[in-house]
Structures are given as C-alpha cells and as structure tokens.
Amino acid sequence: MERDSQCSNFSFVLDVSIIRGVDLVAKDKHWLSRKKTTSDPYVKAYYGNKYLGKTQTIDKTLDPIWNWKVRITVPADDASRARQGYTDMSHIRLHIFDKDKMSEDDFMGEVLVPVCGNDPLTEEWYDVLTGNYNMNNKLVCMNASGKIKIRLEMTQKKGITMEPGSIYEIPTKFDLTLRWNIDAGQITNLDNSCVAIDNEGNILMDQSVYSGQLINSNGSVRRFDLVENCETIFSCNLHKVDNWVRALYFILIVETPDKTFKDLKIISAKISDETSEESLYQCTPKNSGEHTAMFLMRFARENHTWSTTLIDNKHHTARDFRTLTHEVRDSSRDIMTETQLQNT
C-alpha cells in the first residue's frame, strides 16, 4: 500500500461568504457628464475549475453589499495540504462583473482567496486584481481597483465511512468505539486489543492494552469494557505514546471456545474526536465467518503525525494476539524500511 504524504481522506466542508466590496472600478457612464462614475457589480465564484454560483447584482454602486454564501466540500488532497499550511492547492476564484442590459457584461477584475486550514475561521479583505489574459482566460481589467471582503469557515466533514486501503488522518486525542451484536442467550466474548509495535515490527507488551492490562505503561491508551452493551471503548492520546512505538494495531479475537466471528451478527467501529466528541470515521467490517481473529485497523506514525487505515487480515484459530507475532510483523512490511525488513 502506497501513501502520498501530501494526501489524505480527511475531508472538510468550506463555507464561503462574499460579504461586500469597496472602491470598485466604475464601468457605467453618467448620462449627463458621460464620465464613468458607477457600476452594477455582481460576483461569480469558482473553486478550481468548478463553478459555484453568483451573487445578486447590486445596482449603481462601487461599494456593494452582497452577503452571499456557498458551501463546498474541499477534496481530500487540498484538505490535507491546507491543514499543513500550504497554499498551492486550488483557490477560491472570484470574477467581478458589471451588469449591462444592452451589451455584454464588463469584467471588473478578479480576487484569489487561498484555502488555509491552519485557521478554520477567517474574515479578510482581498485586493481586486486585473486578471490574467491567456489562451484559457481572456478576462482582464487593466484598471481594476478596490477590495472584496471574504469570510471562510472550514469545518471537518463528519462521519466519513472508511474504506480498506485508504489512509485517514486523525486527531491527537480520539476514542475508538467497537460494538457487536449477538443472538439472545448466546455467549460470545471478544478480547479487543490495542497492540503496539516498534520499528522492526516487534510487539511491545508494556505499550499494549488487552484483557490482562487495560491501561498501557504510560496511560496513553486505555480500554473500557461495557459488557452489557457489547461495547469496548479505547481512549487514546497519541501525543503521549512513547517515541519508539511505530504503530498501534487494533485486533479483535473471539475468546469463547468453539465460537467464531460467524456467531456475531454485526461488528461496527467509530472513531470520535475526544475533545469535541464529534464522530470522524465509521466502518462495518465484513463478516469474518469461521475466523477467530481479525486485524481491524492500524494507526501508524510518520514524521510526528498519525494516520489510520483499515486492514482485512484474519486468522482461523488464534485465541490470543500474542500468537500472532508473525502476522503482525507481516502486516507492518509497508511501513518498515529495507534495513528493518532485512533484520526481521
């Protein structure tokens, strides 16, 4: 599995408000003096090559008030780069026009608004630019003037359904909630474990959490079992995870003898932001049939940031994650260097 370090599936919703303009260029002549003294401005909005819509036309003013708003979903690539402070992704591009009834509308200039996720709420004035005349864009206004006030509000898109093979960014503090259903009167116990590994794929027992150890050595991962609800909650603070931990595996094992995953009606998982309690990601793994162990997901560290991905590895007979040393290491090959692989 390959990862583009600049991409993720951490999508955002962006609310764009075009509030007002000041000192815009005059395009309409006064009927008596024949001097250009006013305009009838409106704005067309774009994100990349996508047309978002346009404001209403405000008649006879160079200081229009629009208070127009549109909501868009920021693609995963741009969302990831925006959160890192980059501004080379698609801009919000605004084209300003003067409405003419008898002829083609006059171009009054353009505004480029970078999408930056470091500040989820911004309200700023942006200069009106002349535009760029080329083969693809023949809109230009050499005497463009004034400013446009824009408000951007970026919020996380909630409840994204996770898919195998995709990589998802996660907050430092999160809760992973696992739920399962069983038939009335049946007893099928799950041991839900958080298994920590080092750079060479070795299991770190003191950093792991399982039925015999509900809190790891430094308290960065804790497990809470709600047996009556068939629910387990892992509370994780990745900022506190020791530096030598390369990844965390969440592994589900059917403890009850003679029982397998086919005896469970459904399993679901949800990742929530611990601070805001908002649901970030969710998934319902495929039924694992006659298997007794399931590698559900992995949280991996890369350059001081963490991401997660679903895993579809299963085992037919394991009743204890400590018997899965080889499988854990094999599942970690994509995050280990060539030197580390040669040493295993």
Side-chain angles (χ1 to χ4, degrees):
M1 177 173 55
E2 297 181 355
R3 176 182 180 181
D4 181 345
S5 61
Q6 296 177 347
C7 297
S8 76
N9 289 73
F10 204 69
S11 299
F12 283 83
V13 171
L14 181 65
D15 289 312
V16 182
S17 298
I18 303 175
I19 300 173
R20 61 180 302 174
V22 294
D23 299 328
L24 301 182
V25 63
K27 287 293 184 178
D28 295 338
K29 295 178 180 179
H30 189 274
W31 68 274
L32 185 60
S33 67
R34 307 307 296 168
K35 292 183 179 180
K36 293 182 178 180
T37 58
T38 191
S39 293
D40 304 313
Y42 68 92
V43 180
K44 289 184 176 181
Y46 301 83
Y47 182 75
N49 295 322
K50 181 180 180 181
Y51 175 62
L52 303 178
K54 66 179 181 179
T55 69
Q56 70 273 37
T57 300
I58 309 298
D59 294 333
K60 299 186 184 307
T61 181
L62 302 180
D63 304 308
I65 298 176
W66 291 293
N67 286 323
W68 180 84
K69 183 177 179 179
V70 65
R71 170 171 288 188
I72 63 173
T73 297
V74 178
D77 296 10
D78 284 1
S80 178
R81 293 187 65 75
R83 293 180 70 244
Q84 298 175 53
Y86 292 93
T87 58
D88 61 347
M89 72 290 294
S90 298
H91 288 67
I92 300 296
R93 182 164 46 92
L94 308 177
H95 286 173
I96 310 166
F97 291 90
D98 166 53
K99 183 69 175 178
D100 284 332
K101 296 181 180 179
M102 304 301 293
S103 62
E104 186 176 351
D105 295 348
D106 296 317
F107 183 63
M108 299 173 62
E110 74 173 359
V111 172
L112 298 178
V113 183
V115 177
C116 182
N118 285 344
D119 190 347
L121 177 62
T122 61
E123 187 171 303
E124 297 183 13
W125 289 95
Y126 294 89
D127 291 330
V128 179
L129 308 175
T130 60
N132 183 23
Y133 185 91
N134 55 47
M135 292 294 293
N136 299 318
N137 178 28
K138 297 183 179 181
L139 296 175
V140 64
C141 178
M142 298 308 298
N143 61 342
S145 65
K147 296 176 181 290
I148 300 291
K149 191 174 188 180
I150 306 297
R151 175 187 174 96
L152 297 182
E153 186 171 3
M154 184 178 285
T155 55
Q156 184 181 321
K157 192 174 181 181
K158 305 171 186 176
I160 297 174
T161 299
M162 301 176 72
E163 298 180 357
S166 296
I167 297 175
Y168 302 84
E169 292 185 7
I170 49 175
T172 301
K173 295 182 179 181
F174 69 91
D175 289 336
L176 171 61
T177 302
L178 303 174
R179 295 188 178 96
W180 59 96
N181 293 334
I182 57 177
D183 291 324
Q186 297 293 318
I187 299 177
T188 304
N189 295 326
L190 281 182
D191 179 22
N192 302 311
S193 304
C194 174
V195 181
I197 66 165
D198 62 16
N199 283 324
E200 296 182 354
N202 300 310
I203 294 177
L204 303 171
M205 292 300 296
D206 65 319
Q207 297 295 316
S208 300
V209 170
Y210 47 96
S211 58
Q213 180 172 279
L214 301 183
I215 304 175
N216 68 352
S217 61
N218 67 356
S220 58
V221 181
R222 300 167 180 261
R223 179 179 126 178
F224 303 90
D225 292 326
L226 305 176
V227 178
E228 65 280 5
N229 296 335
C230 293
E231 182 175 295
T232 293
I233 300 175
F234 289 93
S235 178
C236 305
N237 184 345
L238 298 177
H239 183 72
K240 291 178 60 178
V241 173
D242 285 335
N243 291 332
W244 52 85
V245 175
R246 180 66 174 86
L248 301 172
Y249 282 91
F250 287 87
I251 301 176
L252 284 58
I253 292 182
V254 179
E255 286 187 313
T256 307
D258 300 325
K259 297 289 186 179
T260 65
F261 279 103
K262 73 177 180 60
D263 297 297
L264 300 175
K265 296 173 63 176
I266 190 171
I267 299 174
S268 64
K270 180 181 72 172
I271 300 175
S272 304
D273 188 312
E274 184 180 286
T275 302
S276 66
E277 298 184 352
E278 293 179 340
S279 174
L280 306 180
Y281 308 112
Q282 58 196 16
C283 68
T284 303
K286 294 181 180 179
N287 191 308
S288 293
E290 296 290 345
H291 302 92
T292 60
M294 176 198 302
F295 284 65
L296 178 63
M297 61 181 66
R298 180 185 71 194
F299 292 74
R301 190 204 310 256
E302 182 177 333
N303 297 327
H304 307 292
T305 62
W306 289 80
S307 61
T308 184
T309 185
L310 289 181
I311 305 175
D312 193 27
N313 293 348
K314 305 175 182 68
H315 196 277
H316 291 283
T317 59
R319 301 285 183 181
D320 188 322
F321 75 84
R322 283 165 287 200
T323 66
L324 298 173
T325 302
H326 175 76
E327 287 77 10
V328 169
R329 186 176 289 112
D330 190 58
S331 295
S332 307
R333 298 179 67 86
D334 63 304
I335 60 173
M336 297 168 63
T337 65
E338 289 297 326
T339 301
Q340 292 164 347
L341 287 170
Q342 293 172 5
N343 293 332
T344 60

